[in-house]
Amino acid sequence: MISVTRLDGNIYWINPHMIESMEKTPDLTITFLSGKKVVVKDSPEELIQRIVSYRRRLEISSQEL
C-alpha cells in the first residue's frame, strides 16, 4: 500500500496495483479498476515515485524468500 493525501489533508492508503489511470485537472484524480475515483493533492511525479519504490520493495522481499 502507498499513501496519498486527500484534498482535506487526510492520509489515505491505496493499493497501487489497482490503479487504472491518473489525470491531473489541476488536482490529481486517480481512477481504480473498480471505477472508483479519488482526488488527491499529491503530484503525479510523487505518486509514480512511491509506486516505483513500493514495487522495488516487493521485488526485494520476494527475492529473500
Side-chain angles (χ1 to χ4, degrees):
M1 303 288 272
I2 61 170
S3 66
V4 294
T5 306
R6 297 189 78 158
L7 295 180
D8 62 6
N10 287 327
I11 303 296
Y12 192 73
W13 294 89
I14 62 171
N15 181 345
H17 297 288
M18 300 305 290
I19 295 173
E20 180 175 352
S21 65
M22 297 187 291
E23 181 179 11
K24 188 161 174 52
T25 61
D27 299 313
L28 184 62
T29 301
I30 303 169
T31 303
F32 295 92
L33 295 173
S34 67
K36 180 179 179 176
K37 296 183 181 211
V38 176
V39 181
V40 299
K41 289 182 177 182
D42 308 281
S43 73
E45 296 80 16
E46 290 173 320
L47 197 53
I48 289 168
Q49 184 56 46
R50 288 183 200 150
I51 292 168
V52 169
S53 293
Y54 171 78
R55 290 189 176 181
R56 281 187 183 143
R57 285 193 314 266
L58 287 180
E59 184 178 314
I60 290 169
S61 295
S62 68
Q63 290 175 0
E64 291 175 354
L65 296 175

